[in-house]
Amino acid sequence: MSESGDKSHYRSGMAVIVGRPNVGKSTLLNRLIGVKLSIVSRRAQTTRHRILGIHTDSRAQIAFVDTPGFQLEHPSALNRTMNRTVTSALRDVDAVMLVVEADKLTKQDEVIISMLPESTPVVAVINKIDKLKDRTALLPFIETLRATHTFNEFVPVSAEKGTGVPELVDAIVGHLPVGDPVYEDDAITDRPERFLAAEIVREKLFQFLGEELPYGTTVEIERFEHDGPLRRINATVIVAKSAHKAMVIGARGAKLKVIGTRARKDMEQLFGGKVFLEVWVRVKQGWSDDARSLRSLGYS
């Protein structure tokens, strides 16, 4: 909040982050919030849920909403649900942040651009500028983007390095309405610790299984209890086939053990306290294409 306590010019609102898979939306959200809130991997479609991250400073409070990458291939109930999450997030927000990769405009990008609202300010976030061999390519790329939509601003950034992120925050603040903050000053998300714990385990699955990880894999938290300062957590990795169970567990349980250990360390860092974590693996055939299963696992 402002040091003078004058809130007459304070701004507060919501900005949604959209883009195709693997353009760096989650990395950008984490950089904007200053905390590893949204899980990250090199594999497309890592983000499956709407993740809200809250940035609060002396000028404004911005609720940034990270969304799944819009999926045009591999139709399934899970992918349809994630696409609905994206289209729903585009409604009733104060600003839209379209994330594209520097000097790389694809047909998937063009489909998402065609979905952008005409009545809401849209900031084109040109990410991965640190990967450009020639920075002069930015200007013609911006002109290419300009021809696709009436963008309010173009902001080149490197979410990984942090370059341009303060300028991006400035741009978004300028599109927010005057208003009081909605969340406490120290809030970073509206998601409960139980949800964050499941996401952390899922991230470790991506990190330690890589391309071997079957797409039909998710994580369910079956127990989350506070025992004084200790959190006791039971997490179940759900796979679609029996063969996938052995893949996650690894020889003599070695792979599952390292996944659990790394997940516990990340949880302790995020939650600020000791965690006792147990991780199991269970087969649930067809869960990713079953609406009832998706709802029970938190996909809406």
Side-chain angles (χ1 to χ4, degrees):
M1 207 60 60
S2 63
E3 293 180 2
S4 65
D6 179 13
K7 301 180 185 178
S8 61
H9 300 292
Y10 199 80
R11 295 176 180 268
S12 179
M14 183 173 291
V16 64
I17 306 170
V18 297
R20 62 176 167 82
N22 263 13
V23 290
K25 299 183 300 297
S26 296
T27 302
L28 179 61
L29 177 71
N30 293 340
R31 179 67 68 175
L32 288 162
I33 305 306
V35 172
K36 187 177 179 182
L37 187 62
S38 192
I39 68 173
V40 175
S41 85
R42 295 181 179 179
R43 187 164 169 180
Q45 295 297 105
T46 302
T47 300
R48 290 180 176 173
H49 302 270
R50 162 198 166 279
I51 309 289
L52 185 143
I54 303 161
H55 169 95
T56 303
D57 62 27
S58 61
R59 303 166 300 160
Q61 183 176 87
I62 313 172
F64 290 106
V65 182
D66 185 20
T67 59
F70 199 81
Q71 178 61 257
L72 301 176
E73 302 175 357
H74 314 299
S76 70
L78 175 59
N79 284 339
R80 289 192 296 272
T81 298
M82 291 192 295
N83 286 349
R84 283 197 301 271
T85 298
V86 179
T87 54
S88 174
L90 284 167
R91 298 192 294 267
D92 301 322
V93 295
D94 300 294
V96 176
M97 301 160 61
L98 172 75
V99 183
V100 294
E101 189 172 344
D103 206 25
K104 186 183 291 185
L105 193 67
T106 70
K107 290 198 176 295
Q108 280 184 303
D109 293 315
E110 292 171 357
V111 169
I112 297 167
I113 290 171
S114 71
M115 298 165 53
L116 295 174
E118 295 293 337
S119 58
T120 305
V122 181
V123 176
V125 184
I126 305 169
N127 192 25
K128 303 186 183 181
I129 60 171
D130 54 309
K131 308 295 185 186
L132 282 177
K133 294 181 179 179
D134 182 5
R135 292 290 180 95
T136 62
L138 269 177
L139 288 177
F141 182 67
I142 288 173
E143 291 307 311
T144 299
L145 276 177
R146 197 187 301 276
T148 66
H149 185 82
T150 306
F151 292 100
N152 294 77
E153 298 184 57
F154 299 87
V155 184
V157 305
S158 168
E160 186 175 343
K161 305 291 185 182
T163 308
V165 172
E167 290 79 5
L168 177 58
V169 172
D170 291 343
I172 297 302
V173 169
H175 295 295
L176 300 184
V178 172
D180 293 332
V182 175
Y183 304 95
E184 296 293 330
D185 286 359
D186 59 351
I188 60 170
T189 186
D190 63 343
R191 288 288 193 172
E193 289 186 351
R194 189 185 194 100
F195 171 84
L196 297 175
E199 288 290 275
I200 288 171
V201 174
R202 199 161 62 83
E203 179 184 62
K204 300 312 167 193
L205 288 166
F206 278 109
Q207 288 181 355
F208 290 99
L209 291 171
E211 293 300 323
E212 294 180 13
L213 179 68
Y215 187 65
T217 303
T218 193
V219 177
E220 182 177 22
I221 302 299
E222 299 190 342
R223 177 193 185 197
F224 194 113
E225 297 176 356
H226 288 265
D227 184 0
L230 176 70
R231 291 167 177 81
R232 296 185 180 275
I233 304 171
N234 287 6
T236 299
V237 177
I238 296 174
V239 295
K241 298 179 181 179
S242 298
H244 298 160
K245 182 175 180 178
M247 186 185 304
V248 173
I249 293 173
R252 299 181 180 178
K255 193 154 287 186
L256 188 62
K257 182 177 180 180
V258 70
I259 288 168
T261 299
R262 297 296 180 88
R264 175 182 57 78
K265 290 180 178 178
D266 274 16
M267 289 179 197
E268 290 178 340
Q269 183 175 1
L270 181 60
F271 300 153
K274 289 291 184 182
V275 170
F276 177 78
L277 174 66
E278 289 188 307
V279 184
W280 310 91
V281 184
R282 175 161 55 93
V283 178
K284 190 172 186 178
Q285 294 182 353
W287 73 266
S288 65
D289 210 19
D290 180 78
R292 182 179 297 179
S293 294
L294 289 170
R295 285 194 298 272
S296 71
L297 291 168
Y299 296 91
S300 57

